[in-house]
Amino acid sequence: MKRSTRKERRTVSLATRAQRPGQIVTVSASPAPVENTAEDDITMGGTGKKQRRKRFSPYNSRERARHVQIKQSNAPVQKIDILVAGFPPGSENNVVPYLQQKSKKEWHPLDVQFDQGQMLLSVDGPVLAHAITRMNGYIFGTQPLQIRLFNESSTPSPFGSKESPATPKNTTTIDTLREFLRSRWNAESRYLNLDDMASDPVLKKAQIRPPGATHASATVGPALMKLAGEMFQGVVSISFARNRFRNVQQISTLTQFIPSVQNLSLEDNVITSFAGLDALCGAGKLKHLRELILRGNPVKDSEIKQRGDERGYIRNAVKQFPSLVLLDGSPITLSDEEKQMIQKTRRILPLATNPSFFDRQETQTAAYEFLTKFLHCFDKDRAALGAIYDGQSTFSVSTVLKLRSAKKARGRQKQKMMDDDEATVAWSDVNRNLAKIKSTKSPAKHLFSGPEMIGSVLQRLPRTIHDLSQPKDFIVDAFQLAMGEQGVLQVAMYGEFKEADNPLPYSFDRTFLLRPAAPASPAAGAGWAFTVLSDMLYVRDYCSMAGRTGSD
């Protein structure tokens, strides 16, 4: 009873207590001053909204950009001097533009002075100075640049000496990779030695797992190839010996950033078949390759065991790299019969392939307008694509990804992921490749229909980047078909894309069946000229457009 009485006392209002006999309630003025409310409404009982000052949010891109601009404009100039040497005579005017391009930052020098073949470059702030000095060793023309802080060394300089603020000591992964590449580069012979990278002290100290190492990051290989292409011009020879490569997928961007390499060594790896070299092969790739070293890999023994001699091994090597002259250090000699056999197995088409096909000019215009708008939304705003699918629309994804080491979700884990409307799914998780499906009990599995289901799946697929500024990487075929009263437009696109968080590209085919959008349809209301009847996406391992069309 005592507990309930105390509870009642706490919940009884002031007015009720005043009405009880014998109770006297005194109300006194508060000593705290009251703010002037003559111009503002009084908020009572939650009937109004409190006026609060809007807080700065670092996650708002516009506010953040404005905040950074104000902060930078108010910051005092911190002049730091950098000494640059090693550039050829007569190229002084090109050094600063070269550094601006390679630093990947927007900046302008505070001052530039030249004397006795050296340049004193003054910039604003230690962060920018660090971005420039880490390009020490980059090849400019035919010579490596020597870049350091003006007070960093006691080396004599025509500009004298002075004290300069220290740059940040924290090094990034890119800085470490640059240091590693500089230690492996032989400028005299233009040879890049990337043998046994897992044992390199620079990478081990930074705990960076290179390509071929267990649990290696998929981004390190492409980053190494890109940096090597930027730092060293005219690489003639490159060696990847003793890296435990099973395939060359992690270094496939070698063909993009160092395409003119002439000598390539993959000695003492664990490549078991020529299929493991597919990422480096194809028309238009490594056209200048003269020598290939594969000894120490199981592929040679496998070919000899299968065919009885090494002639098949030699033929397959030439089939993959037609420009080869030396294989495992020995000259390649082929009989006329072997040359004809190689030509047949390369499947050279009897007619030249055309880049694109359209049955008429109106078809081409409509197809390009649709694809440009669709791919922009697919990369930036997939929620806006729900309007172009109706109740009869279907969408599916098929994959052939043999060179990717993605971990597949299975069993209950996969079911839980598919039931979660916000979980990101991998391409292989929604694979509807009928050639790979073993069970026929659910033929409609992973065939999505209707705007809600399709819109949900589209938003859960990995974020993508389609670089439409490179038209050479895409082929489009489009033509009109008689179907129904208005007919349909079939559009097929072939090309490549990248995931937002993965630099390794994919190849893809995508086929649409489009019909004109009805005037009152959601597609027309959203500004689309077509409604999608069918959308089939086919994702596969990367193959350059030159390799797919058979052109150089």
Side-chain angles (χ1 to χ4, degrees), residues 34-297:
V34 180
E35 295 181 1
N36 182 19
T37 57
E39 298 180 357
D40 299 329
D41 292 337
I42 299 177
T43 301
M44 300 182 65
T47 58
K49 295 183 178 179
K50 295 182 179 180
Q51 299 294 328
R52 293 184 178 180
R53 182 180 179 184
K54 187 176 181 181
R55 296 178 61 187
F56 167 73
S57 172
Y59 303 102
N60 185 314
S61 58
R62 293 184 180 178
E63 289 294 327
R64 181 174 69 250
R66 186 171 65 85
H67 179 74
V68 171
Q69 289 176 359
I70 294 175
K71 185 176 180 180
Q72 290 178 347
S73 63
N74 296 333
V77 174
Q78 188 177 3
K79 183 178 177 182
I80 296 180
D81 294 331
I82 301 172
L83 192 63
V84 182
F87 48 87
S91 63
E92 291 84 357
N93 294 333
N94 298 325
V95 176
V96 171
Y98 175 82
L99 296 177
Q100 289 173 327
Q101 176 189 2
K102 294 297 184 180
S103 66
K104 300 178 182 178
K105 293 181 180 293
E106 185 176 351
W107 59 276
H108 298 282
L110 300 177
D111 186 29
V112 179
Q113 302 178 39
F114 293 96
D115 193 359
Q116 299 181 20
Q118 296 185 1
M119 178 178 71
L120 185 65
L121 173 65
S122 301
V123 297
D124 182 13
V127 175
L128 180 56
H130 177 65
I132 296 174
T133 54
R134 70 184 185 182
M135 290 186 287
N136 178 43
Y138 271 38
I139 301 298
F140 179 71
T142 58
Q143 302 177 9
L145 290 176
Q146 302 166 21
I147 307 175
R148 60 175 175 84
L149 290 179
F150 188 26
N151 69 329
E152 194 174 74
S153 173
S154 58
T155 304
S157 166
F159 302 102
S161 62
K162 60 174 287 186
E163 292 297 325
S164 175
T167 57
K169 295 182 179 180
N170 294 334
T171 57
T172 65
T173 301
I174 297 299
D175 295 333
T176 303
L177 295 181
R178 286 192 177 102
E179 180 185 356
F180 163 71
L181 289 172
R182 280 195 291 266
S183 69
R184 295 298 191 99
W185 171 246
N186 186 322
E188 183 177 355
S189 59
R190 297 190 177 277
Y191 169 56
L192 184 58
N193 178 6
L194 298 182
D195 295 349
D196 194 14
M197 292 183 283
S199 300
D200 189 88
V202 174
L203 299 182
K204 290 178 69 174
K205 182 179 179 181
Q207 298 182 349
I208 297 176
R209 294 186 176 95
T214 305
H215 304 302
S217 171
T219 61
V220 174
L224 281 172
M225 297 301 98
K226 187 174 187 298
L227 289 173
E230 293 177 351
M231 296 172 62
F232 315 125
Q233 298 179 1
V235 178
V236 174
S237 305
I238 185 169
S239 176
F240 295 97
R242 302 186 303 281
N243 282 298
R244 297 183 290 279
F245 286 168
R246 295 184 181 276
N247 57 62
V248 294
Q249 181 63 34
Q250 289 187 322
I251 59 168
S252 60
T253 50
L254 169 72
T255 62
Q256 179 181 354
F257 298 112
I258 316 178
S260 60
V261 64
Q262 299 179 24
N263 309 306
L264 175 63
S265 173
L266 295 168
E267 186 176 3
D268 292 332
N269 283 284
V270 287
I271 300 173
T272 58
S273 67
F274 280 100
L277 303 177
D278 284 348
L280 297 180
C281 304
K285 294 184 179 181
L286 302 184
K287 296 185 292 184
H288 305 283
L289 189 66
R290 297 179 62 257
E291 180 178 8
L292 175 66
I293 297 178
L294 290 175
R295 59 173 170 254
N297 286 272

Side-chain angles (χ1 to χ4, degrees), residues 295-323:
R295 59 173 170 254
N297 286 272
V299 58
K300 182 173 183 179
D301 295 336
S302 177
E303 289 286 328
I304 294 176
K305 183 178 179 180
Q306 180 180 356
R307 307 178 188 278
D309 55 35
E310 64 176 12
R311 299 308 301 173
Y313 168 69
I314 296 174
R315 288 194 298 268
N316 277 325
V318 177
K319 174 185 172 183
Q320 302 288 69
F321 304 98
S323 59

Side-chain angles (χ1 to χ4, degrees), residues 383-402:
L385 294 176
I388 64 175
Y389 298 91
D390 62 14
Q392 299 178 346
S393 303
T394 60
F395 169 72
S396 63
V397 178
S398 297
T399 63
V400 176
L401 301 173
K402 297 181 178 180

Side-chain angles (χ1 to χ4, degrees), residues 432-543:
R432 195 173 181 270
N433 188 342
L434 298 179
K436 301 293 183 180
I437 295 179
K438 298 179 181 180
S439 175
T440 59
K441 295 181 180 180
S442 54
K445 185 178 182 180
H446 294 157
L447 179 62
F448 306 100
S449 60
E452 294 183 359
M453 183 181 294
I454 295 175
S456 174
V457 173
L458 290 179
Q459 294 187 62
R460 296 169 60 191
L461 290 172
R463 302 291 98 184
T464 56
I465 300 174
H466 295 77
D467 188 3
L468 298 181
S469 64
Q470 302 293 330
K472 61 181 179 58
D473 294 335
F474 300 92
I475 292 178
V476 178
D477 296 337
F479 49 90
Q480 299 183 29
L481 296 172
M483 184 181 297
E485 297 180 358
Q486 295 180 319
V488 297
L489 177 64
Q490 178 169 324
V491 179
M493 187 176 195
Y494 319 92
E496 62 186 62
F497 70 85
K498 295 180 181 178
E499 293 181 355
D501 56 352
N502 190 341
L504 297 178
Y506 291 84
S507 291
F508 79 94
D509 304 341
R510 195 157 193 168
T511 304
F512 299 93
L513 283 181
L514 310 175
R515 70 179 178 191
S521 65
W528 293 85
F530 296 96
T531 296
V532 178
L533 292 176
S534 174
D535 179 1
M536 294 186 294
L537 175 60
Y538 192 9
V539 182
R540 56 166 61 88
D541 290 312
Y542 174 72
C543 178

